[in-house]
Each structure stands twice: as structure tokens, then as C-alpha cells.
Amino acid sequence: MNWSEMSGVRTTIGIGASASLLALAAGVSPALATGASRPASEHVPASVHKVEVLFQGTGQATARWKRGAKAAQLVELFNKLKREPRDTVHCDVAGGPQTTVTFKGAKHTWVATQSACTNVVVTRDGKGQPTLLPSKKWEAAISHDIGR
């Protein structure tokens, strides 16, 4: 189940294949529409071994700490996410379910937040980083980790 299905909102602009189709219609390269790879400086180090997955929905919150192999899997999936294309349009819905994934390293903390109408919004030590496109594997992993 993806975020638009969980919230009851259908979001097509800026996510996956829908973005590619919109880009083609607008005369933009689909490669640009599906996002660019990220430099290593934007990656969470493989040494991070503590990850929190927090789901906040209407009237409920579920948090799970992940360590070891599960934490390593989330780091790997996060590092494979591509940058969101410039000028991506998001739906204008406030509130709704949101998942926050926090990666705690020895020197830095990364926070990745995703809701029905956003891609993966990232901060490192409280400073904004490029927004990322969620992958099906990423969404499946974080949904599984919160019991969804």
C-alpha cells in the first residue's frame, strides 16, 4: 500500500511513472523527471546502526527502533533513492498520516519524512537536503516496519 492509498488521496504528479508521463507531455526528458542519483555526501553512512521508524496517523502514533541488519537495509534503501526533479508539484492537502525515519549516526542525524502529498523530505542535523523520490521497496520497508 502506498501513501496515496493509505490517506485516500490519489497523488500522481511528481511520483514515479506518472512523473515520466507528465514530463514527456511537457517535453522534458523522462530521465530528469524520475530524478537524479545523489552524491555520496547526501548518503547516510553504512556505519549507522540505529534507525527509528515513526508513523503518525489520525489519533495514533507507532514508533519502532531498528538495529543491525534491518537498520542496514533501511540505510541501503534510503541511499538508493533519487532526487526529486525540480518544479515537482505536490497536492495541497494538510495533515494526514506521516512517516518519519530517523537515522542516528556518530556525527550526524538524518530525518526523512513522507506523507500522502509529499515525496521524501530530508534534513541532516536540522538542515534541509534535496527532496527524494520514494521507491516501492522503500515504501514497502517502512510500511512493514510500522505494521502497515
Side-chain angles (χ1 to χ4, degrees):
M1 178 178 296
N2 64 37
W3 284 109
S4 58
E5 292 167 339
M6 286 177 64
S7 67
V9 176
R10 298 299 287 163
T11 306
T12 56
I13 298 174
I15 298 176
S18 298
S20 296
L21 294 174
L22 289 170
L24 284 173
V28 177
S29 164
L32 293 175
T34 57
S37 294
R38 296 163 28 228
S41 62
E42 294 178 11
H43 289 191
V44 172
S47 62
V48 168
H49 60 276
K50 186 176 181 182
V51 179
E52 179 190 40
V53 180
L54 171 66
F55 173 78
Q56 296 171 298
T58 53
Q60 69 176 29
T62 304
R64 304 274 192 270
W65 282 99
K66 301 297 172 184
R67 291 180 170 79
K70 188 58 181 175
Q73 178 196 24
L74 290 170
V75 168
E76 180 182 357
L77 290 170
F78 175 81
N79 287 341
K80 288 182 179 180
L81 298 179
K82 307 285 186 198
R83 281 186 174 183
E84 175 183 83
R86 290 192 174 133
D87 302 322
T88 298
V89 177
H90 296 278
C91 64
D92 190 19
V93 175
Q98 174 176 291
T99 297
T100 303
V101 181
T102 303
F103 301 91
K104 294 193 179 253
K107 296 181 181 180
H108 301 287
T109 298
W110 291 258
V111 178
T113 305
Q114 185 177 350
S115 65
C117 288
T118 66
N119 287 322
V120 183
V121 178
V122 180
T123 62
R124 186 180 80 181
D125 301 328
K127 296 178 183 172
Q129 299 287 301
T131 300
L132 307 176
L133 295 171
S135 68
K136 287 183 180 187
K137 287 182 179 181
W138 167 259
E139 287 188 338
I142 63 175
S143 294
H144 178 268
D145 286 340
I146 57 173
R148 299 264 169 240

mmCIF file of all heavy atoms in Angstrom, residues 3 14-16 33-39 42-44 74-85 88 90 103 110-115 117-123 128-135 138-139:
data_model
loop_
_atom_site.group_PDB
_atom_site.id
_atom_site.type_symbol
_atom_site.label_atom_id
_atom_site.label_comp_id
_atom_site.label_asym_id
_atom_site.label_seq_id
_atom_site.Cartn_x
_atom_site.Cartn_y
_atom_site.Cartn_z
ATOM 1 N N TRP A 3 1.366 5.668 -0.004
ATOM 2 C CA TRP A 3 0.821 6.752 0.824
ATOM 3 C C TRP A 3 -0.490 7.284 0.300
ATOM 4 O O TRP A 3 -1.379 7.626 1.066
ATOM 5 C CB TRP A 3 1.839 7.879 0.942
ATOM 6 C CG TRP A 3 2.890 7.477 1.885
ATOM 7 C CD1 TRP A 3 4.180 7.162 1.593
ATOM 8 C CD2 TRP A 3 2.728 7.253 3.268
ATOM 9 N NE1 TRP A 3 4.830 6.768 2.713
ATOM 10 C CE2 TRP A 3 3.949 6.820 3.773
ATOM 11 C CE3 TRP A 3 1.664 7.374 4.151
ATOM 12 C CZ2 TRP A 3 4.151 6.511 5.093
ATOM 13 C CZ3 TRP A 3 1.860 7.077 5.473
ATOM 14 C CH2 TRP A 3 3.099 6.656 5.927
ATOM 15 N N GLY A 14 4.646 14.038 -9.809
ATOM 16 C CA GLY A 14 5.904 14.015 -9.085
ATOM 17 C C GLY A 14 6.300 12.661 -8.555
ATOM 18 O O GLY A 14 7.296 12.543 -7.886
ATOM 19 N N ILE A 15 5.539 11.622 -8.825
ATOM 20 C CA ILE A 15 5.899 10.322 -8.283
ATOM 21 C C ILE A 15 5.980 9.295 -9.409
ATOM 22 O O ILE A 15 5.033 9.095 -10.140
ATOM 23 C CB ILE A 15 4.881 9.859 -7.219
ATOM 24 C CG1 ILE A 15 4.878 10.850 -6.066
ATOM 25 C CG2 ILE A 15 5.178 8.462 -6.737
ATOM 26 C CD1 ILE A 15 3.857 10.573 -5.013
ATOM 27 N N GLY A 16 7.138 8.657 -9.510
ATOM 28 C CA GLY A 16 7.346 7.511 -10.382
ATOM 29 C C GLY A 16 6.954 7.700 -11.829
ATOM 30 O O GLY A 16 7.263 8.693 -12.458
ATOM 31 N N ALA A 33 12.797 13.591 -15.155
ATOM 32 C CA ALA A 33 11.548 13.545 -14.402
ATOM 33 C C ALA A 33 11.580 12.499 -13.307
ATOM 34 O O ALA A 33 10.897 12.638 -12.313
ATOM 35 C CB ALA A 33 10.378 13.263 -15.343
ATOM 36 N N THR A 34 12.353 11.452 -13.500
ATOM 37 C CA THR A 34 12.381 10.400 -12.490
ATOM 38 C C THR A 34 13.477 10.604 -11.460
ATOM 39 O O THR A 34 13.648 9.789 -10.582
ATOM 40 C CB THR A 34 12.538 9.011 -13.146
ATOM 41 O OG1 THR A 34 13.717 9.019 -13.931
ATOM 42 C CG2 THR A 34 11.335 8.670 -13.976
ATOM 43 N N GLY A 35 14.199 11.698 -11.561
ATOM 44 C CA GLY A 35 15.164 12.032 -10.524
ATOM 45 C C GLY A 35 16.579 11.642 -10.872
ATOM 46 O O GLY A 35 16.831 10.776 -11.692
ATOM 47 N N ALA A 36 17.483 12.328 -10.228
ATOM 48 C CA ALA A 36 18.901 12.097 -10.449
ATOM 49 C C ALA A 36 19.497 11.357 -9.266
ATOM 50 O O ALA A 36 19.006 11.457 -8.147
ATOM 51 C CB ALA A 36 19.606 13.440 -10.635
ATOM 52 N N SER A 37 20.561 10.635 -9.536
ATOM 53 C CA SER A 37 21.296 9.974 -8.454
ATOM 54 C C SER A 37 21.877 11.043 -7.541
ATOM 55 O O SER A 37 22.048 12.186 -7.936
ATOM 56 C CB SER A 37 22.412 9.112 -9.022
ATOM 57 O OG SER A 37 21.862 8.058 -9.764
ATOM 58 N N ARG A 38 22.203 10.642 -6.326
ATOM 59 C CA ARG A 38 22.715 11.584 -5.345
ATOM 60 C C ARG A 38 24.194 11.357 -5.088
ATOM 61 O O ARG A 38 24.663 10.219 -5.124
ATOM 62 C CB ARG A 38 21.936 11.423 -4.038
ATOM 63 C CG ARG A 38 20.489 11.775 -4.232
ATOM 64 C CD ARG A 38 19.568 11.276 -3.141
ATOM 65 N NE ARG A 38 20.120 11.114 -1.820
ATOM 66 C CZ ARG A 38 19.928 10.011 -1.087
ATOM 67 N NH1 ARG A 38 19.234 9.011 -1.548
ATOM 68 N NH2 ARG A 38 20.434 9.925 0.115
ATOM 69 N N PRO A 39 24.917 12.432 -4.789
ATOM 70 C CA PRO A 39 26.334 12.259 -4.449
ATOM 71 C C PRO A 39 26.474 11.581 -3.089
ATOM 72 O O PRO A 39 25.556 11.625 -2.257
ATOM 73 C CB PRO A 39 26.864 13.695 -4.404
ATOM 74 C CG PRO A 39 25.668 14.546 -4.151
ATOM 75 C CD PRO A 39 24.498 13.825 -4.780
ATOM 76 N N GLU A 42 25.386 13.048 0.296
ATOM 77 C CA GLU A 42 23.981 13.056 0.719
ATOM 78 C C GLU A 42 23.537 11.709 1.269
ATOM 79 O O GLU A 42 22.384 11.546 1.652
ATOM 80 C CB GLU A 42 23.072 13.449 -0.448
ATOM 81 C CG GLU A 42 23.266 14.874 -0.902
ATOM 82 C CD GLU A 42 22.403 15.227 -2.093
ATOM 83 O OE1 GLU A 42 21.490 14.449 -2.451
ATOM 84 O OE2 GLU A 42 22.645 16.293 -2.682
ATOM 85 N N HIS A 43 24.432 10.747 1.312
ATOM 86 C CA HIS A 43 24.090 9.402 1.783
ATOM 87 C C HIS A 43 24.284 9.271 3.284
ATOM 88 O O HIS A 43 25.143 9.914 3.874
ATOM 89 C CB HIS A 43 24.958 8.358 1.090
ATOM 90 C CG HIS A 43 24.608 8.174 -0.340
ATOM 91 N ND1 HIS A 43 25.099 7.134 -1.089
ATOM 92 C CD2 HIS A 43 23.823 8.873 -1.191
ATOM 93 C CE1 HIS A 43 24.633 7.203 -2.323
ATOM 94 N NE2 HIS A 43 23.860 8.268 -2.403
ATOM 95 N N VAL A 44 23.489 8.393 3.867
ATOM 96 C CA VAL A 44 23.671 8.001 5.254
ATOM 97 C C VAL A 44 24.798 6.962 5.255
ATOM 98 O O VAL A 44 24.769 6.021 4.463
ATOM 99 C CB VAL A 44 22.374 7.384 5.833
ATOM 100 C CG1 VAL A 44 22.609 6.799 7.211
ATOM 101 C CG2 VAL A 44 21.261 8.421 5.862
ATOM 102 N N LEU A 74 17.453 -0.418 5.749
ATOM 103 C CA LEU A 74 16.829 0.899 5.589
ATOM 104 C C LEU A 74 17.839 1.935 5.102
ATOM 105 O O LEU A 74 17.515 2.778 4.254
ATOM 106 C CB LEU A 74 16.171 1.343 6.889
ATOM 107 C CG LEU A 74 14.917 0.559 7.270
ATOM 108 C CD1 LEU A 74 14.471 0.911 8.688
ATOM 109 C CD2 LEU A 74 13.789 0.803 6.277
ATOM 110 N N VAL A 75 19.072 1.876 5.601
ATOM 111 C CA VAL A 75 20.123 2.780 5.131
ATOM 112 C C VAL A 75 20.364 2.557 3.644
ATOM 113 O O VAL A 75 20.423 3.508 2.854
ATOM 114 C CB VAL A 75 21.432 2.588 5.940
ATOM 115 C CG1 VAL A 75 22.613 3.303 5.272
ATOM 116 C CG2 VAL A 75 21.252 3.065 7.369
ATOM 117 N N GLU A 76 20.481 1.303 3.241
ATOM 118 C CA GLU A 76 20.729 0.978 1.829
ATOM 119 C C GLU A 76 19.588 1.472 0.940
ATOM 120 O O GLU A 76 19.820 2.079 -0.109
ATOM 121 C CB GLU A 76 20.910 -0.530 1.664
ATOM 122 C CG GLU A 76 21.163 -0.948 0.231
ATOM 123 C CD GLU A 76 21.290 -2.458 0.060
ATOM 124 O OE1 GLU A 76 21.233 -3.197 1.060
ATOM 125 O OE2 GLU A 76 21.434 -2.891 -1.088
ATOM 126 N N LEU A 77 18.343 1.213 1.345
ATOM 127 C CA LEU A 77 17.196 1.657 0.550
ATOM 128 C C LEU A 77 17.132 3.179 0.470
ATOM 129 O O LEU A 77 16.858 3.744 -0.596
ATOM 130 C CB LEU A 77 15.895 1.097 1.127
ATOM 131 C CG LEU A 77 15.698 -0.408 0.968
ATOM 132 C CD1 LEU A 77 14.498 -0.884 1.777
ATOM 133 C CD2 LEU A 77 15.545 -0.775 -0.505
ATOM 134 N N PHE A 78 17.395 3.862 1.584
ATOM 135 C CA PHE A 78 17.396 5.321 1.594
ATOM 136 C C PHE A 78 18.464 5.856 0.638
ATOM 137 O O PHE A 78 18.215 6.783 -0.136
ATOM 138 C CB PHE A 78 17.640 5.846 3.013
ATOM 139 C CG PHE A 78 17.768 7.342 3.079
ATOM 140 C CD1 PHE A 78 16.643 8.147 3.086
ATOM 141 C CD2 PHE A 78 19.023 7.942 3.125
ATOM 142 C CE1 PHE A 78 16.756 9.527 3.133
ATOM 143 C CE2 PHE A 78 19.146 9.320 3.182
ATOM 144 C CZ PHE A 78 18.011 10.111 3.184
ATOM 145 N N ASN A 79 19.648 5.281 0.683
ATOM 146 C CA ASN A 79 20.749 5.763 -0.154
ATOM 147 C C ASN A 79 20.499 5.535 -1.637
ATOM 148 O O ASN A 79 21.097 6.213 -2.470
ATOM 149 C CB ASN A 79 22.069 5.129 0.277
ATOM 150 C CG ASN A 79 22.559 5.703 1.590
ATOM 151 O OD1 ASN A 79 22.138 6.776 2.017
ATOM 152 N ND2 ASN A 79 23.449 4.979 2.247
ATOM 153 N N LYS A 80 19.618 4.625 -1.997
ATOM 154 C CA LYS A 80 19.286 4.373 -3.399
ATOM 155 C C LYS A 80 18.207 5.317 -3.937
ATOM 156 O O LYS A 80 17.981 5.354 -5.145
ATOM 157 C CB LYS A 80 18.813 2.923 -3.573
ATOM 158 C CG LYS A 80 19.938 1.919 -3.444
ATOM 159 C CD LYS A 80 19.430 0.508 -3.659
ATOM 160 C CE LYS A 80 20.556 -0.498 -3.565
ATOM 161 N NZ LYS A 80 20.075 -1.877 -3.764
ATOM 162 N N LEU A 81 17.550 6.064 -3.067
ATOM 163 C CA LEU A 81 16.500 6.973 -3.522
ATOM 164 C C LEU A 81 17.096 8.077 -4.389
ATOM 165 O O LEU A 81 18.203 8.547 -4.140
ATOM 166 C CB LEU A 81 15.752 7.587 -2.336
ATOM 167 C CG LEU A 81 15.003 6.605 -1.429
ATOM 168 C CD1 LEU A 81 14.340 7.364 -0.284
ATOM 169 C CD2 LEU A 81 13.982 5.792 -2.207
ATOM 170 N N LYS A 82 16.359 8.482 -5.403
ATOM 171 C CA LYS A 82 16.798 9.520 -6.335
ATOM 172 C C LYS A 82 16.251 10.877 -5.907
ATOM 173 O O LYS A 82 15.231 10.971 -5.227
ATOM 174 C CB LYS A 82 16.288 9.214 -7.752
ATOM 175 C CG LYS A 82 16.631 7.832 -8.262
ATOM 176 C CD LYS A 82 18.063 7.733 -8.636
ATOM 177 C CE LYS A 82 18.335 6.378 -9.277
ATOM 178 N NZ LYS A 82 19.709 6.048 -9.293
ATOM 179 N N ARG A 83 16.918 11.923 -6.350
ATOM 180 C CA ARG A 83 16.449 13.279 -6.078
ATOM 181 C C ARG A 83 15.136 13.556 -6.813
ATOM 182 O O ARG A 83 14.942 13.125 -7.946
ATOM 183 C CB ARG A 83 17.458 14.309 -6.555
ATOM 184 C CG ARG A 83 18.613 14.501 -5.643
ATOM 185 C CD ARG A 83 19.458 15.644 -6.148
ATOM 186 N NE ARG A 83 20.516 15.934 -5.208
ATOM 187 C CZ ARG A 83 21.373 16.924 -5.371
ATOM 188 N NH1 ARG A 83 21.286 17.703 -6.426
ATOM 189 N NH2 ARG A 83 22.304 17.137 -4.474
ATOM 190 N N GLU A 84 14.293 14.313 -6.173
ATOM 191 C CA GLU A 84 13.053 14.774 -6.800
ATOM 192 C C GLU A 84 13.421 15.789 -7.893
ATOM 193 O O GLU A 84 14.285 16.638 -7.685
ATOM 194 C CB GLU A 84 12.201 15.441 -5.719
ATOM 195 C CG GLU A 84 10.939 16.078 -6.225
ATOM 196 C CD GLU A 84 10.199 16.786 -5.105
ATOM 197 O OE1 GLU A 84 10.560 17.931 -4.801
ATOM 198 O OE2 GLU A 84 9.282 16.173 -4.539
ATOM 199 N N PRO A 85 12.756 15.727 -9.038
ATOM 200 C CA PRO A 85 13.031 16.720 -10.086
ATOM 201 C C PRO A 85 12.625 18.120 -9.625
ATOM 202 O O PRO A 85 11.717 18.277 -8.810
ATOM 203 C CB PRO A 85 12.151 16.280 -11.252
ATOM 204 C CG PRO A 85 11.741 14.897 -10.940
ATOM 205 C CD PRO A 85 11.785 14.742 -9.453
ATOM 206 N N THR A 88 8.675 20.002 -9.086
ATOM 207 C CA THR A 88 7.688 18.955 -8.828
ATOM 208 C C THR A 88 6.501 19.588 -8.117
ATOM 209 O O THR A 88 6.668 20.399 -7.212
ATOM 210 C CB THR A 88 8.286 17.835 -7.954
ATOM 211 O OG1 THR A 88 9.368 17.250 -8.665
ATOM 212 C CG2 THR A 88 7.257 16.766 -7.622
ATOM 213 N N HIS A 90 3.147 19.177 -5.795
ATOM 214 C CA HIS A 90 2.541 18.303 -4.795
ATOM 215 C C HIS A 90 1.102 18.726 -4.579
ATOM 216 O O HIS A 90 0.754 19.889 -4.766
ATOM 217 C CB HIS A 90 3.299 18.395 -3.461
ATOM 218 C CG HIS A 90 4.705 17.908 -3.555
ATOM 219 N ND1 HIS A 90 5.021 16.585 -3.494
ATOM 220 C CD2 HIS A 90 5.870 18.560 -3.749
ATOM 221 C CE1 HIS A 90 6.321 16.443 -3.634
ATOM 222 N NE2 HIS A 90 6.855 17.627 -3.790
ATOM 223 N N PHE A 103 17.711 8.438 11.080
ATOM 224 C CA PHE A 103 18.971 7.691 11.050
ATOM 225 C C PHE A 103 19.941 8.410 11.983
ATOM 226 O O PHE A 103 20.293 9.559 11.733
ATOM 227 C CB PHE A 103 19.561 7.681 9.638
ATOM 228 C CG PHE A 103 18.667 7.064 8.597
ATOM 229 C CD1 PHE A 103 17.777 7.843 7.877
ATOM 230 C CD2 PHE A 103 18.739 5.710 8.323
ATOM 231 C CE1 PHE A 103 16.964 7.283 6.889
ATOM 232 C CE2 PHE A 103 17.937 5.131 7.338
ATOM 233 C CZ PHE A 103 17.048 5.920 6.629
ATOM 234 N N TRP A 110 20.033 12.124 10.269
ATOM 235 C CA TRP A 110 19.209 12.367 9.097
ATOM 236 C C TRP A 110 17.770 12.056 9.457
ATOM 237 O O TRP A 110 17.490 11.054 10.111
ATOM 238 C CB TRP A 110 19.602 11.454 7.934
ATOM 239 C CG TRP A 110 20.926 11.742 7.331
ATOM 240 C CD1 TRP A 110 21.174 12.408 6.172
ATOM 241 C CD2 TRP A 110 22.211 11.330 7.816
ATOM 242 N NE1 TRP A 110 22.520 12.460 5.929
ATOM 243 C CE2 TRP A 110 23.183 11.804 6.927
ATOM 244 C CE3 TRP A 110 22.624 10.621 8.943
ATOM 245 C CZ2 TRP A 110 24.534 11.585 7.104
ATOM 246 C CZ3 TRP A 110 23.972 10.414 9.141
ATOM 247 C CH2 TRP A 110 24.917 10.883 8.220
ATOM 248 N N VAL A 111 16.845 12.915 9.008
ATOM 249 C CA VAL A 111 15.422 12.682 9.222
ATOM 250 C C VAL A 111 14.745 12.727 7.858
ATOM 251 O O VAL A 111 14.849 13.723 7.132
ATOM 252 C CB VAL A 111 14.810 13.734 10.173
ATOM 253 C CG1 VAL A 111 13.316 13.500 10.338
ATOM 254 C CG2 VAL A 111 15.509 13.705 11.525
ATOM 255 N N ALA A 112 14.058 11.643 7.519
ATOM 256 C CA ALA A 112 13.323 11.534 6.254
ATOM 257 C C ALA A 112 11.834 11.443 6.589
ATOM 258 O O ALA A 112 11.421 10.542 7.315
ATOM 259 C CB ALA A 112 13.772 10.298 5.487
ATOM 260 N N THR A 113 11.056 12.384 6.073
ATOM 261 C CA THR A 113 9.631 12.444 6.371
ATOM 262 C C THR A 113 8.842 12.305 5.081
ATOM 263 O O THR A 113 9.171 12.932 4.070
ATOM 264 C CB THR A 113 9.282 13.789 7.054
ATOM 265 O OG1 THR A 113 10.116 13.944 8.197
ATOM 266 C CG2 THR A 113 7.833 13.829 7.479
ATOM 267 N N GLN A 114 7.785 11.482 5.134
ATOM 268 C CA GLN A 114 6.953 11.254 3.953
ATOM 269 C C GLN A 114 5.493 11.209 4.369
ATOM 270 O O GLN A 114 5.140 10.615 5.379
ATOM 271 C CB GLN A 114 7.344 9.935 3.291
ATOM 272 C CG GLN A 114 6.624 9.659 2.002
ATOM 273 C CD GLN A 114 7.121 8.372 1.363
ATOM 274 O OE1 GLN A 114 8.119 7.791 1.778
ATOM 275 N NE2 GLN A 114 6.420 7.921 0.364
ATOM 276 N N SER A 115 4.657 11.880 3.580
ATOM 277 C CA SER A 115 3.211 11.832 3.812
ATOM 278 C C SER A 115 2.512 11.620 2.484
ATOM 279 O O SER A 115 3.161 11.434 1.459
ATOM 280 C CB SER A 115 2.729 13.121 4.490
ATOM 281 O OG SER A 115 2.912 14.224 3.628
ATOM 282 N N CYS A 117 1.048 13.571 0.476
ATOM 283 C CA CYS A 117 1.219 14.585 -0.567
ATOM 284 C C CYS A 117 2.635 15.113 -0.690
ATOM 285 O O CYS A 117 2.848 16.199 -1.220
ATOM 286 C CB CYS A 117 0.249 15.738 -0.312
ATOM 287 S SG CYS A 117 -1.436 15.261 -0.661
ATOM 288 N N THR A 118 3.600 14.373 -0.191
ATOM 289 C CA THR A 118 4.987 14.779 -0.375
ATOM 290 C C THR A 118 5.803 13.573 -0.798
ATOM 291 O O THR A 118 5.398 12.437 -0.608
ATOM 292 C CB THR A 118 5.616 15.335 0.928
ATOM 293 O OG1 THR A 118 5.703 14.278 1.891
ATOM 294 C CG2 THR A 118 4.835 16.501 1.478
ATOM 295 N N ASN A 119 6.946 13.863 -1.349
ATOM 296 C CA ASN A 119 7.915 12.813 -1.551
ATOM 297 C C ASN A 119 8.693 12.722 -0.240
ATOM 298 O O ASN A 119 8.158 13.060 0.806
ATOM 299 C CB ASN A 119 8.771 13.128 -2.775
ATOM 300 C CG ASN A 119 7.987 12.925 -4.062
ATOM 301 O OD1 ASN A 119 7.195 11.993 -4.173
ATOM 302 N ND2 ASN A 119 8.171 13.805 -5.030
ATOM 303 N N VAL A 120 9.929 12.281 -0.254
ATOM 304 C CA VAL A 120 10.685 12.091 0.973
ATOM 305 C C VAL A 120 11.459 13.378 1.275
ATOM 306 O O VAL A 120 12.439 13.697 0.610
ATOM 307 C CB VAL A 120 11.639 10.883 0.864
ATOM 308 C CG1 VAL A 120 12.370 10.651 2.170
ATOM 309 C CG2 VAL A 120 10.860 9.626 0.457
ATOM 310 N N VAL A 121 10.988 14.116 2.272
ATOM 311 C CA VAL A 121 11.609 15.378 2.669
ATOM 312 C C VAL A 121 12.713 15.045 3.679
ATOM 313 O O VAL A 121 12.465 14.354 4.661
ATOM 314 C CB VAL A 121 10.561 16.329 3.286
ATOM 315 C CG1 VAL A 121 11.203 17.628 3.748
ATOM 316 C CG2 VAL A 121 9.446 16.605 2.285
ATOM 317 N N VAL A 122 13.924 15.534 3.425
ATOM 318 C CA VAL A 122 15.091 15.119 4.201
ATOM 319 C C VAL A 122 15.770 16.317 4.866
ATOM 320 O O VAL A 122 15.909 17.379 4.256
ATOM 321 C CB VAL A 122 16.129 14.407 3.290
ATOM 322 C CG1 VAL A 122 17.353 13.965 4.073
ATOM 323 C CG2 VAL A 122 15.480 13.235 2.569
ATOM 324 N N THR A 123 16.186 16.108 6.117
ATOM 325 C CA THR A 123 17.078 17.054 6.786
ATOM 326 C C THR A 123 18.267 16.273 7.341
ATOM 327 O O THR A 123 18.154 15.083 7.634
ATOM 328 C CB THR A 123 16.397 17.799 7.955
ATOM 329 O OG1 THR A 123 16.009 16.854 8.955
ATOM 330 C CG2 THR A 123 15.195 18.598 7.489
ATOM 331 N N GLY A 128 17.934 21.455 5.665
ATOM 332 C CA GLY A 128 17.272 20.839 4.526
ATOM 333 C C GLY A 128 18.237 20.228 3.531
ATOM 334 O O GLY A 128 19.320 20.767 3.272
ATOM 335 N N GLN A 129 17.853 19.082 3.008
ATOM 336 C CA GLN A 129 18.579 18.379 1.961
ATOM 337 C C GLN A 129 17.631 18.252 0.774
ATOM 338 O O GLN A 129 16.432 18.488 0.911
ATOM 339 C CB GLN A 129 18.992 16.981 2.445
ATOM 340 C CG GLN A 129 19.910 16.986 3.651
ATOM 341 C CD GLN A 129 21.305 17.428 3.287
ATOM 342 O OE1 GLN A 129 21.962 16.836 2.452
ATOM 343 N NE2 GLN A 129 21.760 18.506 3.922
ATOM 344 N N PRO A 130 18.115 17.837 -0.392
ATOM 345 C CA PRO A 130 17.201 17.668 -1.521
ATOM 346 C C PRO A 130 16.092 16.651 -1.199
ATOM 347 O O PRO A 130 16.336 15.641 -0.536
ATOM 348 C CB PRO A 130 18.106 17.138 -2.639
ATOM 349 C CG PRO A 130 19.463 17.643 -2.283
ATOM 350 C CD PRO A 130 19.503 17.610 -0.780
ATOM 351 N N THR A 131 14.890 16.954 -1.661
ATOM 352 C CA THR A 131 13.760 16.039 -1.502
ATOM 353 C C THR A 131 13.968 14.853 -2.434
ATOM 354 O O THR A 131 14.474 14.998 -3.547
ATOM 355 C CB THR A 131 12.441 16.771 -1.808
ATOM 356 O OG1 THR A 131 12.317 17.853 -0.886
ATOM 357 C CG2 THR A 131 11.246 15.852 -1.676
ATOM 358 N N LEU A 132 13.565 13.666 -1.977
ATOM 359 C CA LEU A 132 13.809 12.429 -2.721
ATOM 360 C C LEU A 132 12.517 11.791 -3.189
ATOM 361 O O LEU A 132 11.453 11.998 -2.600
ATOM 362 C CB LEU A 132 14.574 11.451 -1.825
ATOM 363 C CG LEU A 132 15.843 11.993 -1.191
ATOM 364 C CD1 LEU A 132 16.451 10.955 -0.254
ATOM 365 C CD2 LEU A 132 16.845 12.432 -2.244
ATOM 366 N N LEU A 133 12.631 10.995 -4.230
ATOM 367 C CA LEU A 133 11.502 10.223 -4.740
ATOM 368 C C LEU A 133 11.442 8.881 -4.027
ATOM 369 O O LEU A 133 12.446 8.159 -3.996
ATOM 370 C CB LEU A 133 11.652 9.975 -6.247
ATOM 371 C CG LEU A 133 11.608 11.216 -7.128
ATOM 372 C CD1 LEU A 133 12.001 10.850 -8.556
ATOM 373 C CD2 LEU A 133 10.229 11.843 -7.084
ATOM 374 N N PRO A 134 10.301 8.514 -3.452
ATOM 375 C CA PRO A 134 10.210 7.213 -2.793
ATOM 376 C C PRO A 134 10.230 6.093 -3.827
ATOM 377 O O PRO A 134 9.770 6.264 -4.946
ATOM 378 C CB PRO A 134 8.860 7.268 -2.071
ATOM 379 C CG PRO A 134 8.062 8.251 -2.852
ATOM 380 C CD PRO A 134 9.043 9.251 -3.405
ATOM 381 N N SER A 135 10.792 4.969 -3.453
ATOM 382 C CA SER A 135 10.740 3.779 -4.307
ATOM 383 C C SER A 135 9.722 2.812 -3.695
ATOM 384 O O SER A 135 9.367 2.932 -2.520
ATOM 385 C CB SER A 135 12.114 3.109 -4.378
ATOM 386 O OG SER A 135 12.457 2.545 -3.117
ATOM 387 N N TRP A 138 11.374 1.093 -0.756
ATOM 388 C CA TRP A 138 11.445 1.970 0.422
ATOM 389 C C TRP A 138 10.089 2.012 1.121
ATOM 390 O O TRP A 138 9.985 1.813 2.321
ATOM 391 C CB TRP A 138 11.883 3.365 -0.011
ATOM 392 C CG TRP A 138 11.701 4.443 1.021
ATOM 393 C CD1 TRP A 138 10.687 5.358 1.065
ATOM 394 C CD2 TRP A 138 12.538 4.723 2.139
ATOM 395 N NE1 TRP A 138 10.850 6.196 2.144
ATOM 396 C CE2 TRP A 138 11.977 5.826 2.826
ATOM 397 C CE3 TRP A 138 13.706 4.154 2.639
ATOM 398 C CZ2 TRP A 138 12.556 6.364 3.973
ATOM 399 C CZ3 TRP A 138 14.276 4.694 3.781
ATOM 400 C CH2 TRP A 138 13.703 5.777 4.438
ATOM 401 N N GLU A 139 9.029 2.263 0.348
ATOM 402 C CA GLU A 139 7.692 2.353 0.942
ATOM 403 C C GLU A 139 7.271 1.032 1.576
ATOM 404 O O GLU A 139 6.677 1.017 2.654
ATOM 405 C CB GLU A 139 6.672 2.811 -0.099
ATOM 406 C CG GLU A 139 6.830 4.275 -0.435
ATOM 407 C CD GLU A 139 5.725 4.813 -1.319
ATOM 408 O OE1 GLU A 139 5.052 4.030 -2.015
ATOM 409 O OE2 GLU A 139 5.555 6.038 -1.318
#
